[in-house]
Amino acid sequence: MREKEFLPQVRERLGIEELNGMQRRMMSTAGEARDVILLSPTGSGKTLAFILPVLKLLRPGSGRVQAIVVAPSRELVLQIAGVFQKIGAGMKTTPLYGGHKFEDEENSLKAGTDIVVATPGRLLDHINRRTIDVLPDRILVLDEFDKSLELGFETEMKKIVGRLKNVSHIILTSATRAASLPDFLKLTDPLVLDYLGDTADVRRRLRVHRVDSGSKDKLAALDALLENLWSDTGWGERVIVFVNHRESAERVAAYLQEHGLPAVLYHGALDQRDREMAVARFNNGSRPVLVATDLAARGLDIKEVKAVVHYHQPLTPEAYVHRNGRTARVDADGDIFILAGPEENIREYVDIDDEYWLDTEKHAERAPLPETLCFGAGKKEKISKGDILGFLVKECGLEPTQIGAIDVKDHYALAAVTAPDYASLLAKAKGAPVKGKRRMVSLL
């Protein structure tokens, strides 16, 4: 593809007026006959950085696989595929990941595709079942390959690379420096672009606060912290609360919900749909507190997070960096809060700027938050964002200003709405057709 075809889409669809230095340098590598290793901190714009040279290297869309991107999680797959779909005009992108209907993926591949973004296991499954032809593929990207190796995907990745006979351009990305690369990655004179030193700039935009809890169980302190924070910034600023275990995530989320704080839960034991819904509700502002394990520290497409709270201190320096990378992204500032119980020592890699004193009498002034409607049809039923918007305005009587983010997935859609009477809204929605058919509409 030519730059003039996709760079306007970067501005219009992604809202990015100017590329950063790393993204410009990566785009220039498309003209160099060398493999590339990109080392870049979380939140630096790495996804767009490797997508740009891939788009430059692509030939006109033919329906045959030209580029394969392998990523360690389904969330990251969806994020990457979403960027390709927004700016890669004329090129079809197909995401492949576990928890997704295999038949839907197979049908999409049969119809032809130019770019595949996949988790290692699901891609290998398609290769073994011969539902994908990878021989035409010329470009391979292994995104966050360090994380893939850490999660035990080395065997799958080795088999995948062994089946890609015509790859001429390889891009590896990582947020950490690896001592060595696996033997199966036979890179040709790789160009190493190391931007990990930029973490110093990120640190300058972070304020790290210690918050002391009077009890070992830090739930009351977390409650007070959110009330204090929102008293200063306004009700509903997005906050991620990180814990170390699924059981803890469930307990913390339940406590906050019981105490009237708009929290939603995210961890690996939830099924894919529940995880997608959690992220959508967090992003659309209907549930601006995300209580999560480290699964949410990488790969999620989350914007404008005001603060990160470490309910439990991270177990490794890498986890600490990735958690913090959820805020202060690109050029924004962010706050980090370390909740410390009695006699709890702060880990050596946590650099505290100051202490944040809780005022247990201080409560944020409540303001109405949107709610999320769920529609029982999505992309595979030919439903678009425009269809949902038109339905909410024409059939449900909402003003455009009452409608927030709309997310259309394969077989369902979500819309953030603000209404004075949700029971009346649902009654109108129940009897009206969406694009000619009645669909199940419910309030999450």
Side-chain angles (χ1 to χ4, degrees), residues 150-410:
E150 178 186 317
L151 293 173
F153 291 130
E154 183 167 355
T155 300
E156 288 89 345
M157 291 168 66
K158 182 177 181 179
K159 290 179 180 177
I160 290 167
V161 171
R163 300 290 287 272
L164 303 179
K165 304 297 185 183
N166 295 306
V167 168
S168 57
H169 201 97
I170 298 176
I171 299 174
L172 305 183
T173 82
S174 175
T176 59
R177 292 186 183 89
S180 60
L181 296 176
D183 292 338
F184 65 84
L185 292 175
K186 297 178 175 59
L187 304 185
T188 304
D189 185 25
L191 171 65
V192 179
L193 300 179
D194 189 344
Y195 290 89
L196 293 178
D198 291 357
T199 53
D201 177 60
V202 175
R203 180 63 182 90
R204 283 191 290 271
R205 293 185 279 107
L206 288 175
R207 296 171 295 274
V208 183
H209 317 277
R210 173 177 177 145
V211 183
D212 286 319
S213 169
S215 63
K216 187 176 180 180
D217 186 339
K218 296 177 275 192
L219 290 171
L222 175 61
D223 188 335
L225 173 60
L226 292 172
E227 291 281 4
N228 286 197
L229 179 61
W230 284 340
S231 293
D232 298 332
T233 64
W235 177 258
E237 289 275 5
R238 293 188 188 92
V239 179
I240 302 181
V241 180
F242 280 107
V243 299
N244 288 343
H245 310 288
R246 295 171 182 172
E247 296 79 7
S248 301
E250 292 170 355
R251 186 170 68 94
V252 171
Y255 177 91
L256 294 179
Q257 291 162 358
E258 289 166 5
H259 286 73
L261 293 170
V264 70
L265 176 67
Y266 186 93
H267 61 63
L270 299 174
D271 66 31
Q272 178 64 19
R273 180 167 171 146
D274 287 340
R275 284 154 62 179
E276 288 177 353
M277 287 185 172
V279 173
R281 297 171 85 185
F282 180 67
N283 272 335
N284 70 26
S286 61
R287 294 297 181 270
V289 180
L290 185 71
V291 181
T293 60
D294 283 333
L295 182 66
R298 290 209 226 183
L300 296 186
D301 188 11
I302 293 173
K303 300 178 179 65
E304 299 177 4
V305 175
K306 170 59 183 171
V308 165
V309 178
H310 298 273
Y311 182 85
H312 293 141
Q313 291 186 60
L315 301 177
T316 65
E318 291 77 17
Y320 180 64
V321 169
H322 290 306
R323 287 182 180 186
N324 292 350
R326 294 289 89 197
T327 188
R329 297 181 75 82
V330 189
D331 295 320
D333 294 335
D335 287 285
I336 307 298
F337 295 92
I338 311 294
L339 275 179
E343 301 180 4
E344 182 178 353
N345 295 320
I346 301 298
R347 294 179 182 270
E348 64 277 4
Y349 44 80
V350 176
D351 185 14
I352 301 291
D353 291 324
D354 58 44
E355 291 193 36
Y356 187 96
W357 300 98
L358 295 175
D359 182 351
T360 56
E361 301 300 319
K362 192 175 184 180
H363 296 283
E365 183 178 345
R366 262 57 171 171
L369 294 174
E371 292 294 342
T372 300
L373 289 178
C374 181
F375 295 77
K379 293 177 184 176
K380 298 299 182 182
E381 291 75 34
K382 308 301 182 183
I383 299 296
S384 69
K385 289 185 179 182
D387 296 327
I388 300 294
L389 179 62
F391 172 81
L392 292 172
V393 171
K394 295 176 184 177
E395 305 294 345
C396 300
L398 293 179
E399 297 293 330
T401 54
Q402 294 176 289
I403 304 167
I406 298 173
D407 293 282
V408 182
K409 306 298 184 182
D410 279 356

Side-chain angles (χ1 to χ4, degrees), residues 1-14 16 19 23 26-28 30 48-58 83-84 86-91:
M1 293 181 68
R2 296 180 180 179
E3 289 178 36
K4 66 179 182 180
E5 296 176 8
F6 61 80
L7 285 182
Q9 300 292 326
V10 172
R11 299 187 191 95
E12 295 167 15
R13 304 293 298 276
L14 301 182
I16 296 174
L19 301 179
Q23 292 162 346
M26 278 296 292
M27 190 161 62
S28 72
L48 183 59
F50 74 72
I51 284 177
L52 292 172
V54 170
L55 289 176
K56 281 191 70 174
L57 287 163
L58 291 177
V83 177
F84 270 118
K86 285 177 181 177
I87 67 175
M91 312 302 294

